[in-house]
Amino acid sequence: MSRRPHPRAGTRRAAVLGVSAVLLSAGTVSLSSFPASAAAPSAVTLAGTFDSEIGCSADWQPDCPQAQMSPRADGTWTASFNVPGGSYNYKIAINDSWTENYGAGGVAGGSNISMTVPAGGEVVDFVYDPNTHLVTDDSARPTVTAAGDYQSELGCNADWSATCATTRMTDPDGDGVYSYSTTAIPAGSWNTKVTLGQSWTVNYGAGGTANGANIAFDVPSAGATTTFSYNSATHWITVVSNGGTSSLNTLGALYTPTGTTFRLWSPDSSNVSVSVGGSSHPLSPTTLSGYTNVYQTVVSGDLKDQTYQFYVGGVAVPDPYAQMTTPGTTQGVVVDTAAVTPTGGSWAARPALTNREDAVVYELSVHDFTIDASSGVDAAKRGKFLGLVQTGTTDNGAKTGIDHLKELGVTTVQIMPSFDFGSTVPNWGYDPVDYNVPEEQFSQFTAPEDRIREFKDMVNVFHKNGIRVVMDVVYNHTFSKSVFGNITGKYYTSTDLSGTGNSIDDGNPMVGHMIQDSLEHWVRDYNVDGFRFDLVGVQYTNNVNTWANYLNTAYAGRTLMMYGEPWNGGASDPQEPQKVRYGNLPALAPAHFGVFNGVYRDAIRGGTDTNTMGYMGGAGNAAAIAFGMRGSPTDANSTAPVSNLWTPAFAEDPEQTMNYASIHDNLNLYDKITYSGATGGATGTAGRIDRFAVGMVLTSEGVPIIAEGDEFLRSKVVSGDYPTAMNSYAASDAVNAIHWGDKTANANIFSYYKDAIALRKAGSALRLTTWGAVHNQVSATVDGSVVIGRFSSNPAAPTTYDTVVVDNPTGSTYNVTLPPGTWTKVLDTTGAVAASGNACASLAVTVFKKN
């Protein structure tokens, strides 16, 4: 359906850089240069002035066994040492020798790295990256301890101990999230908080609050792995305790081979039962940490794959937590999603994403992307989950499907609704029924475990091919109020905020908890890499902050991407200041939550469905383009909300602005261009404008999103029917299906998109990662209607620009004045080039790189 329109959390303090040479007992070693290792190191040593403090016979020993680091699966090397208070210097020695060593800034033979350990000493974590040769330590951070009423069970002298080393939390990968795991906490209910500096002077509890309330958690069984996580940027704490591969300890049907626990939230009625295996079982009130008004029963026996039906007041109701359902009914199916492995038995490595700004996102529909025969996908897989990841497909020799995505160069797919929805395909599915169940219309299978595995295999194959997976989720409304309404009306808002008549009320804590549990279900059990929230403007900023903080803390290291539409369905909301709007985005920066930049989109293309173009057509507001090019940064480096809820200056971190010229809603890019009167196809004015629009998106700070098919001028207009193309959520395949012959017919457009993406990925200037970097290293000015962006990739020389981007909407060539130095033109309206001169063609983005 149509829509209207920080300091980076977890960044580890880099070690303070020293200036002295390496001091040895026999004198000084200063190796100015030597070749990098041809092979991975066999040993990495932390040689320095603290070596004797950690058991070495002397300081500065490159082969000291006690100072050795250990390799990790991700290629980095780590070590943790208990270092007494004081000031120290160190370097990295490779293969037990000074022949190859690295110092400050990862420089070969470079200056010593200095660190200061607080009085009393602490455990210092070190991380060395053999690719960059950079080493970091956390000496400037206080010791973090998971304190609680379980510590005596783990061998600590007492519970609630801030000094017990056993429950000390560590951050070996340097992302700012500390963790501690154990299998020794007995089954039962427990409480925890986090202390800093081995003292209760600074401590954090529930909600990341200083001196906050205890955090309660349950350990479901003996031997369960319990993991404590602490986010040092937001002070958010999570505890996850799971027994083996069992499901999360939430509501719904929780399976074990000997019995299944059934739980349902029922705040209005105590008459709750479940029917399974031909028998009815009453549910009784139970206490579950973090939940209220929960009813439960345990049905013995192995119920795997059996259907079940909840009843409230004698009326059949669905299970909002169902992990599998019988299509077309309110019946759940007993499964253990977590226990179903991908084909082959294990998950592939997750594609690396150092910073969220490194992402290039591609939105697609499971159905539309492969349903046409031109996709080359096997007939049985067309429009299915596994059709998305079938390799080796072509159309007239041109790559299609996942091979096309790899050729294009995108890093991430944003998959339109793929959980169980109420409409029939080819409807896009923005009408949820079961939030935790893969949509059966996208599956080739009927058996529950096969349907689960198919979705997992899709994610796994995307990962194997270097592409991450973001789910488009719709937690703002359901298919109808009948979905949850017979359980309780408390699931829904009294005012229709979504424009669909059935808005979800996340202001109710149990509804908000359900959304968080659903998000975690997809992250933990299906291994997805993030979420795009449909109409997140329906939801409360504080709740979104809670969900994002929880996931980024509990699943640290995944670099989850989370973003949404900061508007609702056009309703007047009396609580709007509390909802997700541009003005509230700064407060969400530490939680890594962003939004679609509709302001920049409209500046580029003009109105979504109007027949006039904005800047891409030669008109519009050049100042708005210059501001969008800089990533729409806030005026101040502050995470405080802004009073203007619709401010265009909302991004406290560049990752918070999702830049786009086209998305599934409204006219897609090419149809907008032709509707506004441009002609000439791929080689004419229309194609030139298309390249100009996406060129701006791909050369701006933030995260770019491309809608499926835009890279080869996809059109949804059939027989001149623009009104259907404006809102094609329920249109036929003739309208929405991707026709892969367009890739060959409009090959020059595809080539441009591919080149612009490659250019973006090749350097860091267009992918800056902090508010400070944007303000210091980017200058965007306006000359008439031409926008000139100057970018530096070097924070140490912020105004020594190495990249210049010129957006020229005029009808004539513009000659830009380049900064001093020798420059090469690397992108123009045709795509990648290597040319001299300073001429910038009309209706085009031109990029220059300093030699």
Side-chain angles (χ1 to χ4, degrees):
M1 60 187 298
S2 295
R3 315 287 189 222
R4 70 163 184 88
H6 64 277
R8 177 171 300 280
T11 300
R12 174 67 66 91
R13 180 196 74 93
V16 179
L17 304 183
V19 295
S20 59
V22 176
L23 300 178
L24 299 171
S25 59
T28 299
V29 172
S30 179
L31 302 177
S32 60
S33 64
F34 40 79
S37 297
S42 59
V44 177
T45 309
L46 280 161
T49 58
F50 55 77
D51 282 356
S52 59
E53 307 286 353
I54 62 173
C56 299
S57 60
D59 290 336
W60 296 110
Q61 286 194 333
D63 58 351
C64 174
Q66 288 86 351
Q68 298 291 315
M69 304 184 78
S70 300
R72 287 167 47 92
D74 63 3
T76 62
W77 291 67
T78 64
S80 296
F81 300 124
N82 197 339
V83 182
S87 296
Y88 303 93
N89 293 287
Y90 68 92
K91 296 180 75 175
I92 288 292
I94 302 298
N95 298 335
D96 296 330
S97 167
W98 285 114
T99 302
E100 183 179 354
N101 71 85
Y102 299 94
V107 175
S111 301
N112 296 345
I113 303 166
S114 67
M115 72 174 186
T116 299
V117 176
E122 67 178 9
V123 174
V124 181
D125 299 323
F126 299 85
V127 180
Y128 168 68
D129 185 338
N131 295 312
T132 63
H133 305 301
L134 290 170
V135 61
T136 60
D137 67 74
D138 67 350
S139 58
R141 301 224 178 186
T143 300
V144 181
T145 305
D149 56 6
Y150 49 84
Q151 285 177 289
S152 59
E153 304 284 349
L154 304 178
C156 296
N157 291 332
D159 289 333
W160 297 106
S161 171
T163 59
C164 180
T166 301
T167 59
R168 186 168 293 161
M169 306 175 80
T170 60
D171 180 21
D173 62 2
D175 67 352
V177 178
Y178 290 73
S179 64
Y180 165 70
S181 294
T182 179
T183 59
I185 301 178
S189 297
W190 307 92
N191 295 276
T192 193
K193 293 179 75 173
V194 161
T195 65
L196 273 61
Q198 301 184 75
S199 165
W200 282 98
T201 301
V202 180
N203 70 86
Y204 294 95
T209 303
N211 299 307
N214 295 344
I215 299 170
F217 66 95
D218 293 318
V219 177
S221 60
T225 299
T226 302
T227 300
F228 302 81
S229 299
Y230 166 70
N231 188 318
S232 60
T234 63
H235 306 302
W236 203 265
I237 303 155
T238 67
V239 186
V240 177
S241 186
N242 302 305
T245 59
S246 65
S247 301
L248 294 167
N249 189 31
T250 57
L251 308 188
L254 308 179
Y255 167 83
T256 71
T258 58
T260 297
T261 301
F262 294 92
R263 293 176 181 154
L264 185 73
W265 176 52
S266 180
D268 304 329
S269 174
S270 59
N271 182 8
V272 184
S273 63
V274 65
S275 176
V276 60
S279 300
S280 179
H281 305 269
L283 275 64
S284 303
T286 190
T287 300
L288 186 64
S289 178
Y291 301 83
T292 60
N293 296 310
V294 174
Y295 289 77
Q296 170 181 303
T297 190
V298 179
V299 180
S300 61
D302 190 344
L303 305 182
K304 183 178 179 181
D305 292 344
Q306 291 200 35
T307 60
Y308 64 94
Q309 179 73 66
F310 279 124
Y311 293 87
V312 174
V315 177
V317 299
D319 174 10
Y321 280 74
Q323 299 176 49
M324 185 54 61
T325 57
T326 302
T329 75
T330 56
Q331 295 177 342
V333 179
V334 177
V335 294
D336 184 0
T337 300
V340 179
T341 61
T343 299
S346 62
W347 289 106
R350 189 181 314 279
L353 185 67
T354 303
N355 300 299
R356 292 168 180 83
E357 293 87 351
D358 296 337
V360 178
V361 181
Y362 185 98
E363 182 197 46
L364 57 78
S365 157
V366 174
H367 179 86
D368 297 349
F369 196 65
T370 65
I371 193 62
D372 192 77
S374 64
S375 69
V377 169
D378 295 346
K381 295 180 179 179
R382 292 175 195 158
K384 308 298 184 182
F385 290 125
L386 289 184
L388 289 183
V389 292
Q390 181 177 338
T391 59
T393 59
T394 61
D395 178 65
N396 291 323
K399 294 178 180 179
T400 63
I402 190 173
D403 290 343
H404 165 79
L405 297 177
K406 292 170 64 179
E407 183 184 15
L408 184 60
V410 299
T411 70
T412 305
V413 289
Q414 174 187 301
I415 299 180
M416 291 163 63
S418 51
F419 46 59
D420 184 49
F421 50 78
S423 56
T424 302
V425 294
N427 191 297
W428 282 335
Y430 287 91
D431 47 10
V433 174
D434 295 291
Y435 283 120
N436 301 322
V437 178
E439 170 56 44
E440 77 275 359
Q441 294 175 89
F442 295 158
S443 176
Q444 301 175 75
F445 307 107
T446 56
E449 281 74 18
D450 290 341
R451 286 174 55 191
I452 292 168
R453 182 174 292 105
E454 182 178 24
F455 193 103
K456 293 189 177 188
D457 283 348
M458 175 192 68
V459 174
N460 216 28
V461 177
F462 268 127
H463 284 177
K464 288 178 181 178
N465 283 273
I467 298 174
R468 294 164 69 99
V469 178
V470 166
M471 287 183 66
D472 191 341
V473 289
V474 188
Y475 295 114
N476 66 83
H477 70 276
T478 57
F479 179 65
S480 68
K481 280 191 175 179
S482 64
V483 172
F484 297 145
N486 288 330
I487 302 173
T488 174
K490 292 182 172 63
Y491 275 103
Y492 297 98
T493 60
S494 57
T495 301
D496 176 23
L497 301 178
S498 65
T500 61
N502 40 62
S503 301
I504 290 290
D505 184 13
D506 66 297
N508 187 302
M510 283 294 287
V511 178
H513 213 318
M514 177 195 71
I515 294 173
Q516 178 175 297
D517 290 340
S518 177
L519 292 167
E520 185 172 17
H521 169 72
W522 290 105
V523 170
R524 175 182 180 263
D525 293 344
Y526 285 97
N527 209 27
V528 303
D529 304 294
F531 303 96
R532 177 266 186 190
F533 290 73
D534 184 71
L535 292 188
V536 75
V538 169
Q539 283 143 1
Y540 287 88
T541 304
N542 284 344
N543 284 341
V544 172
N545 187 61
T546 296
W547 305 333
N549 265 316
Y550 175 81
L551 291 173
N552 281 319
T553 304
Y555 299 90
R558 292 202 184 186
T559 322
L560 298 173
M561 294 188 69
M562 286 176 275
Y563 52 90
E565 297 171 299
W567 43 76
N568 64 23
S572 175
D573 187 349
Q575 295 178 309
E576 185 171 33
Q578 301 176 52
K579 302 299 180 67
V580 177
R581 298 291 185 270
Y582 291 124
N584 290 327
L585 257 292
L588 293 175
H592 300 291
F593 194 91
V595 293
F596 281 79
N597 194 337
V599 179
Y600 193 28
R601 171 203 62 192
D602 291 345
I604 291 173
R605 67 179 273 161
T608 53
D609 291 329
T610 62
N611 62 357
T612 57
M613 286 182 278
Y615 191 82
M616 69 180 184
N621 186 343
I625 297 299
F627 193 67
M629 177 188 284
R630 294 178 59 234
S632 303
T634 52
D635 295 331
N637 187 7
S638 170
T639 57
V642 178
S643 58
N644 176 9
L645 293 178
W646 295 106
T647 177
F650 64 85
E652 207 281 331
D653 187 306
E655 70 181 23
Q656 290 191 283
T657 174
M658 309 299 295
N659 301 324
Y660 67 115
S662 178
I663 209 70
H664 63 269
D665 284 326
N666 310 108
L667 287 172
N668 63 342
L669 182 55
Y670 185 61
D671 289 340
K672 165 69 178 180
I673 292 168
T674 60
Y675 189 56
S676 300
T679 59
T683 58
T685 302
R688 191 181 190 95
I689 293 173
D690 184 283
R691 298 192 298 273
F692 185 32
V694 78
M696 285 184 271
V697 170
L698 289 169
T699 56
S700 296
E701 302 295 346
V703 181
I705 303 180
I706 298 168
E708 61 181 341
D710 277 356
E711 70 275 19
F712 42 69
L713 301 186
R714 175 198 192 190
S715 175
K716 296 189 285 186
V717 176
V718 178
S719 301
D721 184 1
Y722 280 94
T724 295
M726 291 176 184
N727 196 17
S728 63
Y729 74 96
S732 68
D733 290 339
V735 173
N736 283 329
I738 299 296
H739 299 285
W740 288 92
D742 291 339
K743 181 177 179 180
T744 300
N746 304 313
N748 67 317
I749 304 295
F750 172 76
S751 179
Y752 178 88
Y753 276 65
K754 177 183 175 182
D755 290 349
I757 290 172
L759 172 66
R760 179 180 183 84
K761 293 167 68 175
S764 61
L766 304 177
R767 298 180 284 114
L768 300 179
T769 61
T770 65
W771 183 94
V774 167
H775 276 262
N776 295 332
Q777 296 167 232
V778 181
S779 168
T781 58
V782 175
D783 183 4
S785 59
V786 176
V787 175
I788 304 101
R790 300 172 180 86
F791 303 79
S792 169
S793 59
N794 184 3
T799 58
T800 303
Y801 301 115
D802 50 53
T803 303
V804 171
V805 176
V806 179
D807 296 342
N808 180 11
T810 72
S812 58
T813 299
Y814 176 83
N815 293 311
V816 65
T817 300
L818 295 167
T822 305
W823 293 79
T824 299
K825 184 188 301 184
V826 294
L827 185 80
D828 65 11
T829 188
T830 65
V833 294
S836 58
N838 64 341
C840 306
S842 66
L843 284 179
V845 173
T846 306
V847 181
F848 301 86
K849 286 282 190 179
K850 192 173 184 179
N851 297 336

